[in-house]
Amino acid sequence: MNNSPSTVDDGSTGRPSIAEQSARDGRPTQFGRDPDFVLPEHSTVQLDNELSDAAHAFLTDELGPSRLTVDYRRDGPPRLRSTQYVGVISLPDGPTIEIQPKAAGQNLLPLLQYAQGLNATTYDRRTGLTEGDTFLDVLGALYATELDTVLTRGLHREYQSKTSTERYLRGRLDVQQQLQRHPIGSTQFECEYDELTIDTTTNQAILYAATILSWFVEDTTVQNQLSRYRQRLQRKISLRHVRATELDNVEVTRLNEHYADLLRLTRLVLASVFVENLRTGTRESFALLVNMNEVFEDVVERIVTASIADKPGWTVETQTSVSGVVSGGDPPITMRPDVLVRDATDDVVFVADAKWKTPSKVSNDDVYQLVAYQSTYAVPGLLVFPEQEPELSTTYTVQDAGALSVVELPTKRSATHDQIGPQLVQSFSEEMKAVL
């Protein structure tokens, strides 16, 4: 099954699609080799054949419509529509679909790396991959690099509660279980105790992520690295399906600070990956999809933080509940700007909202919430978009609040992993200074 330019509707007016342009330029796709279909975000693809029952179940039950929508028609095979999630989907019985970001150009990995706060120098020095490697290979190589750092410094151990039947009393006696399971005078004890172990949720999550990536990557060297690390971990750590939410309560402390970068990558992988069968690891049915809205929000947060670094006492708050915007009613409505900046006296200086989209113009919906935040605090606002075609640069005035400036970041401009951050910060800083 091959993709032709006519099968993808990306809303363009005569411009070649990403798949068509990549073929003309001889460039590899970003996520994997030889997908059946390549389409941008928020685009539609007409399939050549009907989906199998297994493929339909994977799309509807595992992925859900928020990631890829299936539109069944009476007169032919279904159409698939992408959302803000980008990545690769390999359906049972085919096809394989690659979804690429419209506003990132070839900078998806640098943007992800910057959003996660990962060390670009480590990546450039140690992964050994070169320009032209696929996204999954590079992500796998980056994960292997950070995992090697953790293994070199040592796996973190934690005390965990255990229950077991013992010949001698250990820890605390579980009286209820003891009475239910053993007669009076028994020489066995139902015990509760704390055990220092490396078989923790954190290490189980790392093992799971390494296992998944070892199935997906194409590069033999990276695959072998991940497989070796996986085998080493699995000797003492349980392999199970770990969900990203299980890491929400994991804290980075002085004792496990060498885990910080790897944990951020692990959360990204676990939140993005969908696998039908953990035990077999078959490659015919999997997906790795990244939510570009969330990635861009993290990028903007880091950019704002860097832009005010020279202002003593200024702080950045993210997704903070704003009071006084909407009151009354049931259920109550909570509004949270992506970024809120306070000065040294704790006064709000400006608010910002991140919008990962490629509109032809700024819409009313784009500005409604930001205007509400500005009116509440009587401060300027910044509406931050990725790179657009044509440019969106413009400024509005909000009564009794000040300027509402539309900021367009150069997300498509070619940049290495150590250039992308300074490039974005410089662009934002200039816009920020203009409204303050």
Side-chain angles (χ1 to χ4, degrees):
M1 186 186 304
N2 294 315
N3 180 27
S4 64
S6 62
T7 59
V8 177
D9 176 14
D10 62 0
S12 62
T13 56
R15 294 193 299 269
S17 67
I18 291 178
E20 186 179 9
Q21 188 63 53
S22 295
R24 291 180 185 178
D25 296 344
R27 298 195 310 263
T29 55
Q30 291 193 62
F31 296 97
R33 294 179 174 87
D34 300 326
D36 298 303
F37 295 98
V38 180
L39 67 157
E41 303 166 89
H42 303 290
S43 301
T44 302
V45 61
Q46 173 66 60
L47 298 184
D48 295 338
N49 302 298
E50 297 288 347
L51 290 172
S52 69
D53 290 342
H56 171 79
F58 187 75
L59 281 174
T60 56
D61 299 339
E62 187 71 20
L63 294 185
S66 64
R67 293 173 176 83
L68 193 67
T69 301
V70 187
D71 178 22
Y72 286 97
R73 305 183 307 154
R74 294 182 179 180
D75 57 348
R79 297 167 68 94
L80 304 180
R81 181 166 181 80
S82 59
T83 62
Q84 75 274 16
Y85 287 83
V86 303
V88 61
I89 303 170
S90 182
L91 296 175
D93 309 311
T96 297
I97 304 151
E98 180 181 327
I99 306 168
Q100 296 189 344
K102 288 182 179 180
Q106 296 298 309
N107 290 334
L108 177 59
L109 188 75
L111 284 172
L112 274 174
Q113 193 167 347
Y114 183 73
Q116 297 291 313
L118 300 175
N119 187 335
T121 304
T122 299
Y123 167 83
D124 292 335
R125 183 178 70 249
R126 298 184 59 186
T127 57
L129 293 179
T130 59
E131 184 177 355
D133 288 292
T134 70
F135 170 80
L136 289 177
D137 287 344
V138 178
L139 181 61
L142 186 59
Y143 198 88
T145 298
E146 299 300 339
L147 181 52
D148 179 74
T149 299
V150 166
L151 291 175
T152 300
R153 296 192 55 180
L155 291 171
H156 181 60
R157 297 173 181 268
E158 298 175 8
Y159 280 102
Q160 293 201 338
S161 297
K162 302 284 185 179
T163 58
S164 66
T165 303
E166 304 284 343
R167 292 184 60 190
Y168 302 96
L169 184 61
R170 180 180 182 182
R172 302 172 297 278
L173 180 67
D174 186 333
V175 177
Q176 183 176 0
Q177 292 295 326
Q178 183 72 24
L179 294 175
Q180 289 179 352
R181 297 181 179 180
H182 304 288
I184 297 176
S186 172
T187 57
Q188 291 185 316
F189 301 93
E190 296 299 318
C191 301
E192 296 179 344
Y193 55 91
D194 294 331
E195 183 178 65
L196 189 62
T197 177
I198 62 172
D199 194 14
T200 63
T201 297
T202 302
N203 290 330
Q204 290 167 0
I206 290 169
L207 171 59
Y208 180 56
T211 300
I212 296 299
L213 287 173
S214 70
W215 294 340
F216 290 171
V217 297
E218 300 282 351
D219 185 89
T220 304
T221 301
V222 177
Q223 192 177 69
N224 289 339
Q225 284 180 322
L226 289 168
S227 295
R228 286 198 304 270
Y229 293 144
R230 182 194 68 195
Q231 292 168 6
R232 180 174 169 184
L233 291 169
Q234 203 165 347
R235 293 171 189 165
K236 295 184 178 180
I237 297 171
S238 305
L239 175 60
R240 66 178 182 87
H241 184 166
V242 183
R243 299 187 181 279
T245 53
E246 295 183 52
L247 296 178
D248 289 347
N249 296 324
V250 174
E251 295 183 3
V252 176
T253 66
R254 180 181 57 83
L255 297 177
N256 67 344
E257 60 186 1
H258 59 295
Y259 272 66
D261 285 353
L262 183 60
L263 275 175
R264 285 193 289 269
L265 266 183
T266 301
R267 284 191 180 94
L268 173 67
V269 172
L270 297 188
S272 306
V273 74
F274 302 85
V275 182
E276 188 174 28
N277 193 327
L278 172 65
R279 289 176 296 178
T280 62
T282 55
R283 295 172 57 87
E284 289 76 15
S285 176
F286 72 87
L288 194 148
L289 297 169
V290 178
N291 187 336
M292 290 305 299
N293 288 346
E294 295 178 358
V295 171
F296 193 57
E297 287 173 3
D298 291 339
V299 166
V300 171
E301 176 191 345
R302 294 203 67 213
I303 290 170
V304 175
T305 301
S307 298
I308 66 167
D310 60 344
K311 300 183 182 298
W314 285 36
T315 57
V316 174
E317 299 177 7
T318 59
Q319 299 294 328
T320 300
S321 178
V322 176
S323 60
V325 178
V326 179
S327 60
D330 186 23
I333 296 175
T334 302
M335 299 182 70
R336 295 183 172 88
D338 292 329
V339 176
L340 186 148
V341 177
R342 297 181 182 272
D343 62 16
T345 63
D346 205 36
D347 290 331
V348 176
V349 180
F350 69 87
V351 292
D353 246 11
K355 299 291 183 183
W356 180 265
K357 52 192 300 189
T358 53
S360 57
K361 61 181 180 179
V362 179
S363 69
N364 290 344
D365 290 341
D366 292 332
V367 302
Y368 279 154
Q369 284 190 336
L370 189 58
V371 168
Y373 305 145
Q374 286 186 252
S375 299
T376 299
Y377 294 108
V379 295
L382 295 165
L383 193 60
V384 188
F385 286 91
E387 191 166 339
Q388 306 292 306
E389 294 179 6
E391 294 184 5
L392 290 176
S393 181
T394 187
T395 300
Y396 303 92
T397 300
V398 179
Q399 187 175 358
D400 299 326
L404 188 161
S405 183
V406 176
V407 179
E408 187 177 331
L409 298 178
T411 50
K412 286 185 179 179
R413 188 184 305 168
S414 180
T416 62
H417 297 83
D418 56 349
Q419 293 172 339
I420 190 78
Q423 180 173 289
L424 297 175
V425 170
Q426 180 182 359
S427 177
F428 181 85
S429 296
E430 293 172 355
E431 298 284 350
M432 182 186 74
K433 291 175 182 177
V435 301
L436 293 182

